[in-house]
Amino acid sequence: MSDALIAQAVTILQAGGLVAVPTETVYGLAGDARSLGAVKKIFRVKQRPADHPLIVHIAHPEQLTEWARDIPEMAWQLVNTFWPGPLTVVLKKAADVSPLITGGQETIALRIPRHPIALALLEAFGGALAAPSANRFGHISPTTADDVREELAAAVDLILDGGPCEVGVESTIVDFSTGTPSILRPGAVTAAQIESVLGIHLASRKNTAPRVSGSHAVHYAPTTKTTLVTPDQLEAFLLELTVTDVPVALLVRRKKFLYWPGIHWETMPTDAKAYAQALYHRLRELDKMEFKQIIIESVPDDPEWDAVRDRLQRACGKNSLSHTVGEGQG
Ligand code: TXA
Ligand code: MG
């Protein structure tokens, strides 16, 4: 990335404009976190409800104290280990932080991303950047610059192209605002890694379900009807499809049957990290192909799949056979 482009981005941010910026997780829609105009613009462009708080991105751990108060020792341990990287911490907000950013809550979410372009921009800008994922509310987060163009196009002043995101799903969020730390959103930094640094057991280790209200349960969703099916249920599910149900896109880790009429097989990586990296872009591509539905084979129950499992559950919302035929299979 040229210095000139970064300088142009800084000029836009200083004027209250918005810049799409690559991070290692997903692309963010960044604006000056101290500018109420820029923050309002982010909500407008994303069509995001006002009570849905934004993550503030900083360049140095010392900046934490400008945004948060009563920072527990454990939070410092965690950020000193994983920053820059795919970890967000939720802390009690400093008194002068606008409730616009925090969705009216008394807490604030902060992170240092590790993508070189995001870091270069944060350094050159000098302040903090409020940056939610650069998609319209409820859509799949963008993991390439083209995905951002598709989502927001004219609404952003500049899109910095950093290539495909390395992680592919949003950062792990750890809440330190209550007595015991807990994971609000699983991501590339795993519960086991966090527990090993902190030397404690996290409350939500087994239950990684999103702590969001019902209306937000379907999030990161394709517009095509999307259903989660356990590997055990897959064959029975396919047998029940009628001519009006197809064509169907089927997202699996291994192709199971040689031929099945009306089914488009989409083979995903068998490694959890590679799967996460590919997931959003693949769903986005399938969403454009006008299938009647997208069927996703559920992933293993192992902790290394926590982030992917969470996003698949959110993408499918209530359309989950794994819920009706019993939890925990596959
Ligand atoms: O990887 C990421 O975190 C990406 C990149 C761009 O950094 N950002 C991202 O932001 O995913 P966004 O706005 O799409 O997700 C923000 C989520 C909210 O939905 C909420 O769950 C949580 O972060 N959050 C933000 N502020 C919070 C707060 N004060 N308390 C609790 N949760 C908060
Ligand atoms: Mg988002």
Side-chain angles (χ1 to χ4, degrees):
M1 177 93 2
S2 73
D3 290 351
L5 261 182
I6 296 287
Q8 190 191 342
V10 168
T11 306
I12 290 168
L13 292 168
Q14 284 166 344
L18 304 184
V19 175
V21 57
T23 82
E24 77 281 26
T25 57
V26 300
Y27 275 71
L29 177 65
D32 180 355
R34 291 286 183 197
S35 155
L36 295 188
V39 170
K40 282 183 190 158
K41 205 181 277 178
I42 292 174
F43 278 95
R44 204 163 59 232
V45 166
K46 276 195 62 115
Q47 297 161 12
R48 183 174 177 126
D51 63 354
H52 216 79
L54 304 178
I55 296 176
V56 172
H57 297 65
I58 54 179
H60 303 282
E62 305 86 78
Q63 286 172 275
L64 269 186
T65 53
E66 293 168 28
W67 293 90
R69 64 182 169 86
D70 304 339
I71 303 168
E73 185 50 37
M74 280 197 207
W76 286 114
Q77 275 176 279
L78 221 53
V79 303
N80 287 330
T81 308
F82 295 110
W83 281 358
L87 171 81
T88 296
V89 289
V90 171
L91 299 162
K92 288 183 182 140
K93 78 172 187 71
D96 62 346
V97 173
S98 163
L100 271 184
I101 286 195
T102 68
Q105 305 192 49
E106 280 307 304
T107 55
I108 179 144
L110 292 142
R111 95 172 184 104
I112 303 185
R114 73 162 173 242
H115 194 293
I117 294 177
L119 284 174
L121 182 62
L122 282 161
E123 279 295 346
F125 179 63
L129 296 173
S133 50
N135 52 279
R136 270 164 295 139
F137 185 69
H139 283 205
I140 304 167
S141 297
T143 53
T144 69
D146 277 341
D147 295 347
V148 178
R149 256 170 233 126
E150 233 173 70
E151 281 286 328
L152 303 173
V156 274
D157 300 300
L158 177 68
I159 299 174
L160 297 176
D161 190 343
C165 299
E166 168 203 342
V167 173
V169 294
E170 303 81 354
S171 59
T172 306
I173 303 181
V174 183
D175 185 3
F176 283 101
S177 68
T178 65
T180 31
S182 62
I183 294 185
L184 296 184
R185 179 174 75 183
V189 173
T190 65
Q193 284 176 299
I194 294 166
E195 288 178 340
S196 120
V197 170
L198 300 183
I200 57 160
H201 265 295
L202 289 170
S204 65
R205 177 78 195 261
K206 207 59 199 146
N207 177 19
T208 50
R211 304 245 171 94
V212 290
S213 62
S215 62
H216 292 158
V218 182
H219 208 87
Y220 315 106
T223 50
T224 311
K225 181 188 176 198
T226 303
T227 307
L228 199 58
V229 178
T230 65
D232 291 351
Q233 296 289 315
L234 196 55
E235 186 166 2
F237 186 87
L238 293 184
L239 280 168
E240 273 176 24
L241 292 177
T242 67
V243 281
T244 55
D245 295 325
V246 293
V248 163
L250 188 55
L251 210 70
V252 293
R253 279 162 295 131
R254 279 189 198 86
K255 194 167 170 175
K256 298 234 169 26
F257 316 106
L258 276 181
Y259 178 74
W260 207 292
I263 304 286
H264 166 87
W265 293 86
E266 191 74 24
T267 315
M268 293 293 286
T270 51
D271 167 72
K273 278 192 179 146
Y275 189 114
Q277 205 267 336
L279 178 63
Y280 284 160
H281 191 71
R282 211 68 84 80
L283 281 180
R284 195 175 275 279
E285 294 298 304
L286 290 178
D287 212 12
K288 282 188 262 184
M289 290 164 72
E290 299 189 345
F291 289 105
K292 295 261 179 68
Q293 45 181 327
I294 299 171
I295 312 294
I296 305 180
E297 178 194 37
S298 62
V299 295
D301 219 13
D302 311 343
E304 58 169 341
W305 288 91
D306 279 356
V308 166
R309 199 178 326 103
D310 170 76
R311 300 322 187 275
L312 293 184
Q313 278 161 2
R314 295 193 205 209
C316 297
K318 293 202 171 63
N319 300 325
S320 172
L321 279 196
S322 52
H323 287 165
T324 51
V325 295
E327 222 74 50
Q329 302 178 47

